[in-house]
Every structure is written in C-alpha cells, then in structure tokens.
Amino acid sequence: MAITADKIWMDGELVPFEDAKIHVLTHTLHYGLGAFEGIRCYQRADGASAIFRLGEHIRRLLETCHICTIDSPYTREELERACVETVRANGFKDCYLRPVVYLGHGEMGLSAMSNDVRVTVIAWHWGAYLGDDGINNGIRAKVASFNRHHVNSSMVKGKINGQYVNSILAKREVMKAGYQEAIMLDTNGYISEASGENIFVVRDGVIYSTPLGSSILGGITRDTVLTLARERGYTIIEQRVTRDFLYVADEIFMTGTAAEVTPVRELDDRTIGTGKPGPVTRTLQDAYFDQVRGSATDHMEWLTIVE
C-alpha cells in the first residue's frame, strides 16, 4: 500500500508531503544511528480520535536518544504536540505515526559528533500489520536462524534504526519460506521476541511472557496487555521459555503497536492448541480493542484526544 498524506512535520514545521526530503549524505541513512517510534491513533466508538499511549511512546523515543548519545532538540511535550499537530493537519481519524530522530548531513565517518539532530513525524493510514485474517484467525510463524541481539552487543532497550536490520533479515527469511512472522531466540537459545512484536504463551490458563530483564524491547502494547490481563485475574509468569514450550502451548499471541494483538495458529509447522485463537487470546484482544476503538473509560490516561 502506498503511503500518502498531506503534511509531514519536519524540524518544527508542517511541510507538504512531496517536499519532505533529506540529503543523500544524511548520516543515519548511511550508518543507522537514530531513534524511532511506532504509535497508533484510533477513532473510538464515540467518533473521537485518540492517540494511544502517546506519552509512553515519546518517553521511549527520548530514552532511545539517550542510549544513543543523541541530544533531542525537542522536549517530550514538544514532540507530543508535534504528533497531535500532524494527525490534525492531515485530517486523519485513524492512523499510524512514525516519529524519527536522526543525524543530518555534515561529517561522515562513524562519530559525526557535529551533525545536526533532525526530527520528523509522519502519519499515514495503516491497517492490521499482519493482516485482518491474522487478527481474526491467527498467523503461521517460524523460528528464524537469526538470533535477537545479545544485551551487551546491541542496546536492546532502544528502538534504534540500524538495529532493525537483524529483524528485517529474520522476517525476510521466513516470509520467503511461506510464513508470516519470525520468532527470534536469544543468544542462549531461549525465546526472545518476534521480528517486531513481543510474545505471550498460554498454558493451562497461565500466561507466560519473556521478562524485561532479558533481550526483549519493552513493548508498550505488551505492558498494556499485561495490565489488562492482571485486571481480569489471569496468573502471569514472566520468565524465559524454550522453543518446545511454545510447541506444546495452548495459545500463543504477539503484541505490538503495528500488530496489535495477533494470535499464532502454527509455529514451525506445528499446530498450536486447536489451531484457532484461544479463549485467553480472544478475551485480551477484545479488552485491547475496547480500550483503543471501543468505549472503555477505565484507562483514559492512555488516550490523547485529538480535537
């Protein structure tokens, strides 16, 4: 699907979509040092548009900048306002937002200490990342040959542009083999995360999730689902699990801003549970979509209304 919009926010100004350009010597284009986020804005049942957990996303964006020793020229409040302005300027009721902090052109070489820090916010319409059928019926996944980064070789808590090459390679590998998503092990052989999602496993009614103290990115959708699960009385165990534990799971689902809550019906050519989204997955899917698209009001702190 072609990405299009009327306006893109660049360095403090809303510019026409066609004029949002950067120089070919932009440092981040060559070396990958930069920070980005993925955020969704939803139209809710009452017709209002709300950006979901905007503050947490921008906090993580700035934390990634800090990890990368990049000084953002904009504050958290200014970046949040930029996201709201971008949605409003495009007249979107429902969209995906991509803030990016990157190093502009100037010095080449690795350090580029004097290069300007540039910031842009893009918005566009984007449906279910793994497809509506994936949301409704589950996807086929495969364990990739590429491991998730070791915690001391890459900064795993940052959403860093260049680090995603690892996930891209894993994703392309499994898609070429006929699957929809890659699951990545950590360097010790335990389940880490998918190419762009966190993973949940359900067995005997208990929900398992890889802990934050490991190689996973601290997903904001992951945190949302954990909160909703606890409020519904589910037992949650955060621990590393093995690949074969997933094979014998009753349910598996993935969470992420783009993927939302997507069930896994098959892994490595093994049917998971009944081969259909299970009751825990469905309960948490419904709870999540009620928060973002429905009429739930118990977590209004998660919503930034675009007026």
Side-chain angles (χ1 to χ4, degrees):
M1 181 183 68
I3 293 172
T4 186
D6 292 329
K7 300 285 186 179
I8 290 178
W9 192 94
M10 294 191 77
D11 301 314
E13 297 182 7
L14 287 161
V15 302
F17 183 88
E18 295 78 9
D19 296 337
K21 300 174 182 177
I22 61 173
H23 198 280
V24 294
L25 287 173
T26 295
H27 192 273
T28 302
L29 174 65
H30 292 258
Y31 295 107
L33 186 69
F36 74 99
E37 274 298 318
I39 311 170
R40 280 195 186 268
C41 176
Y42 292 93
Q43 186 171 23
R44 305 189 80 232
D46 62 1
S49 293
I51 303 176
F52 189 64
R53 302 197 68 170
L54 175 60
E56 291 91 335
H57 278 287
I58 298 303
R59 175 185 176 182
R60 188 172 65 182
L61 180 71
L62 292 175
E63 287 175 345
T64 301
C65 289
H66 183 66
I67 289 169
C68 292
T69 66
I70 295 173
D71 294 324
S72 169
Y74 299 98
T75 65
R76 179 171 171 174
E77 292 74 19
E78 289 170 329
L79 291 170
E80 289 180 22
R81 189 160 56 247
C83 290
V84 173
E85 289 174 0
T86 303
V87 174
R88 187 184 295 129
N90 286 287
F92 289 146
K93 292 294 187 181
D94 206 284
C95 64
Y96 182 87
L97 285 155
R98 171 58 54 84
V100 186
V101 182
Y102 61 99
L103 301 183
H105 68 281
E107 283 186 63
M108 290 301 283
L110 294 180
S111 61
M113 300 298 287
S114 66
N115 291 32
D116 289 338
V117 178
R118 309 282 305 276
V119 183
T120 189
V121 180
I122 313 105
W124 69 89
H125 288 297
W126 202 5
Y129 176 62
L130 294 170
D132 290 334
D133 184 68
I135 290 281
N136 294 323
N137 299 311
I139 62 165
R140 298 178 68 235
K142 182 174 177 58
V143 173
S145 67
F146 295 89
N147 291 116
R148 171 72 172 157
H149 298 292
H150 186 275
V151 296
N152 205 35
S153 62
S154 291
M155 300 293 98
V156 296
K157 300 310 173 194
K159 203 168 174 67
I160 301 169
N161 296 53
Q163 287 189 175
Y164 272 74
V165 170
N166 190 44
S167 290
I168 292 166
L169 292 172
K171 176 87 171 182
R172 289 168 69 92
E173 175 186 60
V174 303
M175 289 192 71
K176 284 177 176 288
Y179 302 86
Q180 292 155 286
E181 188 52 284
I183 289 180
M184 304 175 76
L185 307 179
D186 64 23
T187 53
N188 291 311
Y190 292 93
I191 296 293
S192 178
E193 60 182 29
S195 69
E197 302 87 22
N198 293 121
I199 298 171
F200 287 84
V201 185
V202 182
R203 183 173 168 87
D204 296 331
V206 176
I207 300 172
Y208 294 83
S209 176
T210 305
L212 284 178
S214 66
S215 61
I216 68 168
L217 181 71
I220 292 166
T221 309
R222 174 187 181 273
D223 178 73
T224 301
V225 168
L226 285 171
T227 299
L228 296 173
R230 290 188 181 104
E231 290 173 350
R232 282 150 183 80
Y234 287 109
T235 298
I236 298 165
I237 299 176
E238 295 187 62
Q239 69 177 40
R240 295 193 301 177
V241 298
T242 59
R243 182 195 308 199
D244 52 2
F245 185 77
L246 270 64
Y247 293 160
V248 298
D250 299 320
E251 305 174 43
I252 302 172
F253 61 92
M254 298 177 174
T255 63
T257 296
E260 298 163 309
V261 181
T262 299
V264 177
R265 60 181 172 85
E266 184 182 305
L267 174 60
D268 289 350
D269 302 315
R270 294 162 174 84
T271 300
I272 302 304
T274 64
K276 298 179 180 180
V280 176
T281 302
R282 285 297 191 213
T283 296
L284 294 175
Q285 263 190 336
D286 291 345
Y288 177 79
F289 284 116
D290 192 31
Q291 294 293 328
V292 299
R293 291 196 188 279
S295 55
T297 57
D298 51 324
H299 284 290
M300 294 301 292
E301 72 278 9
W302 286 347
L303 306 177
T304 300
I305 305 299
V306 179
E307 297 177 351

